[in-house]
Amino acid sequence: MNPYEVLGVERNAKEETIKTAYRKLARKWHPDLFHTDEEIRIAEEKMKELNAAWELIGTPEKRASFDTSNPVHCILESENAVKLFSSMTE
């Protein structure tokens, strides 16, 4: 899981941007807003994903730790890196 993609922010996003994105998505996907069992189940799964992303990059300390321990994961998931890697292997 790439927490930056889950929250819809760039890897170089400011702390406030990450916080705002998390809060906006948490409001959008809160299970109490849905009515059918299927909708609630989907919302609960989305909230689990959002919370996991927040746990990884929600504070400057956690974000630094994540970025330091997962640099290849973050870099390889970016579209530009995939294009660069593809062009290098041709």
Side-chain angles (χ1 to χ4, degrees):
M1 172 191 56
N2 181 334
Y4 296 101
E5 287 182 5
V6 171
L7 297 175
V9 298
E10 297 291 325
R11 188 164 186 251
N12 62 350
K14 294 183 179 184
E15 181 181 353
E16 190 59 36
T17 301
I18 293 171
K19 184 187 234 181
T20 300
Y22 171 77
R23 288 180 174 174
K24 181 179 177 182
L25 290 168
R27 281 192 303 271
K28 176 181 177 179
W29 289 104
H30 196 281
D32 288 349
L33 299 175
F34 297 91
H35 304 288
T36 68
D37 289 343
E38 181 65 13
E39 290 173 335
I40 293 168
R41 185 190 63 75
I42 292 169
E44 286 172 344
E45 288 300 315
K46 189 65 174 175
M47 285 301 298
K48 285 179 188 176
E49 190 177 21
L50 291 171
N51 286 328
W54 180 254
E55 283 299 313
L56 291 173
I57 63 170
T59 66
E61 296 81 17
K62 290 179 182 179
R63 183 178 180 184
S65 176
F66 176 82
D67 289 347
T68 302
S69 62
N70 296 290
V72 174
H73 172 78
C74 291
I75 293 169
L76 288 180
E77 286 190 356
S78 76
E79 189 174 297
N80 292 333
V82 171
K83 288 178 186 174
L84 176 63
F85 181 77
S86 296
S87 68
M88 291 170 49
T89 59
E90 294 178 347

